[in-house]
């Protein structure tokens, strides 16, 4: 997502934090970030091209080698998460680091800012898709302007929606999503959204012998510290949910279509609203489990 999407996820999460999580968030982020996950959510994108944070660029996505144009969508940690790591291992890494009281306050703040950001990105269907570099290499048109499919999903469609239906005001849009969660059309979905909240459950307890053998080979080949990161089940569940949209709305356009109007836009908007609201709610639940042991 672009800045608007990430801020949306962060500000929504801030509304649903329980006391221990809220105290950590406020004191860790401090006045630099207005004590808010909304203001801190874009930090990870602002640093990703800096030399000092170059290593974090692959953590924003997972290149799922599926076949969305042939209606075959899937995400596999072993197949798709490179040796350098991906969004799945990044979430596991920072979920551990945010709890490490031996780390400095700034290291734990960094872990919080990465979690804040990556729980947003993992809900963007094209951040969990390898095809054409997550759609970056597919030319597209949004509101008459040339762009690419990935950018249309990160920013173009959302910006057009906020301008067209929420007076161009991000806080109005966020308040509308929060209201849907608290008392509107999303209320009945929230318990399903939290069907996976374990911050420790490792990836797949029921795996085939083939994938176990694959894992053993892979872990044996990895000699670095990253081999010690145990992949978690929940991020994989979230990634698969977002990736499924690559087999429905995401690639359903004809060449020349303007993606920010007409049927494509009308089908994409509810998916983007849902993914942002859901990941914001999940971000709060994730921090609540970490700091309060509850959702
Ligand atoms: N780094 C790391 N592992 C991560 C994230 C960041 O090693 N999961 C950091 C540590 C170093 C830098 O990246 O500052 C380069 O480390 P290395 O060359 O050991 O990968
Ligand atoms: N780092 C990280 N994840 C790790 C190890 C390191 O994000 N598992 C980050 C924290 C610091 C940077 O890399 O910003 C440098 O780490 P180090 O001092 O461990 O080389
Ligand atoms: N991106 C992605 N999958 C990739 C490469 C990039 O989802 N394989 C995302 C990260 C940014 C956007 O696409 O949100 C543009 O990336 P970049 O600026 O690295 O081209
Ligand atoms: Zn993106
Ligand atoms: Zn990102």
């Amino acid at each position: 997502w672009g800045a608007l999407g990430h801020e949306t996820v962060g500000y929504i999460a801030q509304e649903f934090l329980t006391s221990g999580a809220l105290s950590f968030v406020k004191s860790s982020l401090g006045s630099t970030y207005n004590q808010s996950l909304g203001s801190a959510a874009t930090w990870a994108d602002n640093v990703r091209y800096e030399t000092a944070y170059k290593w974090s660029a692959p953590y924003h996505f997972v290149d799922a080698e599926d076949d969305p144009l042939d209606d075959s969508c899937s995400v596999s940690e072993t197949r798709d998460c490179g040796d350098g790591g991906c969004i799945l291992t990044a979430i596991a890494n920072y979920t551990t680091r945010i709890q490490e009281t031996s780390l400095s306050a700034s290291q734990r703040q960094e872990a919080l800012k990465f979690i804040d950001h990556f729980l947003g990105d993992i809900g963007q269907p094209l951040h969990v898709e390898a095809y054409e570099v997550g759609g970056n290499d597919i030319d597209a048109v949004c509101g008459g302007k040339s762009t690419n499919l990935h950018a249309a999903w990160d920013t173009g469609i959302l910006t057009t929606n906020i301008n067209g239906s929420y007076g161009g005001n991000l806080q109005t849009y966020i308040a509308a999503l929060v209201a849907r969660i608290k008392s509107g059309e999303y209320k009945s979905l929230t318990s399903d959204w939290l069907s996976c909240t374990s911050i420790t459950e490792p990836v797949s307890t029921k795996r085939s012998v083939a994938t176990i053998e694959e894992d053993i080979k892979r872990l044996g080949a990895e000699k670095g510290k990253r081999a010690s990161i145990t992949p978690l089940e929940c991020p994989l569940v979230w990634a698969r949910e977002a990736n499924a949209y690559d087999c429905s709305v995401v690639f359903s356009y004809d060449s020349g279509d303007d993606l920010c109007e007409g049927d494509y836009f009308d089908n994409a908007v509810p998916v983007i609203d849902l993914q942002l609201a859901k990941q914001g709610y999940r971000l709060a639940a994730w921090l609540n489990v970490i700091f309060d042991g509850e959702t």
Side-chain angles (χ1 to χ4, degrees):
W1 308 112
L4 294 177
H6 283 291
E7 287 168 30
T8 299
V9 169
Y11 282 116
I12 289 173
Q14 190 83 11
E15 295 286 312
F16 296 99
L17 295 174
T18 49
S19 64
L22 184 61
S23 317
F24 180 83
V25 163
K26 284 182 163 182
S27 67
S28 174
L29 296 178
S31 56
T32 316
Y33 295 100
N34 209 14
Q35 304 189 347
S36 170
L37 294 169
S39 327
T42 53
W43 171 84
D45 270 341
N46 298 334
V47 300
R48 57 192 284 236
Y49 298 114
E50 290 176 12
T51 314
Y53 285 92
K54 224 177 128 111
W55 48 267
S56 67
Y59 295 177
H60 292 251
F61 56 84
V62 56
D63 275 337
E65 299 282 351
D66 56 355
D67 198 358
L69 266 48
D70 205 25
D71 211 30
S72 174
C73 279
S74 62
V75 183
S76 155
E77 175 110 25
T78 48
R79 181 191 61 189
D80 302 323
C81 201
D83 286 351
C86 72
I87 194 165
L88 302 172
T89 45
I91 291 172
N93 178 33
Y94 293 111
T95 297
T96 302
R97 288 174 68 87
I98 198 173
Q99 299 175 75
E100 287 288 351
T101 49
S102 62
L103 293 179
S104 68
S106 72
Q107 285 174 312
R108 293 180 76 196
Q109 185 204 64
E110 198 166 85
L112 176 62
K113 290 183 291 185
F114 278 126
I115 290 172
D116 187 0
H117 187 89
F118 296 146
L119 263 76
D121 272 343
I122 203 167
Q124 210 279 48
L126 288 166
H127 275 245
V128 289
E129 178 54 58
Y131 182 69
E132 296 286 354
V133 196
N136 276 291
D137 288 354
I138 299 176
D139 290 336
V141 176
C142 169
K145 292 189 181 137
S146 291
T147 181
N148 66 67
L149 184 64
H150 187 101
W153 276 80
D154 267 354
T155 58
I157 297 167
L158 179 59
T159 304
T160 305
N161 183 33
I162 293 172
N163 287 340
S165 300
Y166 301 89
N169 187 317
L170 179 65
Q171 292 303 334
T172 304
Y173 175 65
I174 292 166
L177 294 184
V178 169
R180 284 183 213 170
I181 293 171
K182 287 185 171 168
S183 54
E185 59 173 296
Y186 295 155
K187 189 169 191 263
S188 64
L189 306 176
T190 54
S191 62
D192 277 357
W193 291 354
L194 302 191
S195 59
C196 194
T197 55
S198 168
I199 57 169
T200 51
E201 174 71 12
V203 156
S204 77
T205 40
K206 24 182 206 300
R207 288 178 306 158
S208 67
V209 172
T211 60
I212 292 167
E213 282 172 351
E214 226 178 87
D215 272 13
I216 291 166
K217 240 189 345 203
R218 190 176 61 99
L219 291 171
E222 280 174 8
K223 292 276 187 284
K225 53 189 147 191
R226 285 179 191 89
S228 67
I229 298 170
T230 306
L232 299 174
E233 179 69 10
C234 297
L236 187 59
V237 167
W238 306 331
R240 285 177 174 157
E241 216 173 87
N243 166 270
Y245 290 111
D246 294 318
C247 280
S248 58
V249 292
V250 176
F251 293 101
S252 299
Y253 54 83
D254 295 315
S255 68
D257 282 356
D258 192 312
L259 305 185
C260 295
E261 59 183 50
D263 286 350
Y264 189 90
F265 179 76
D266 292 344
N267 291 326
V269 163
V271 172
I272 291 172
D273 289 353
L274 178 70
Q275 290 299 94
L276 294 175
K278 189 167 58 178
Q279 289 309 121
Y281 196 72
R282 284 173 170 167
L283 170 57
W286 198 248
L287 296 170
N288 293 344
V289 171
I290 291 171
F291 292 102
D292 293 298
E294 55 171 278
T295 57

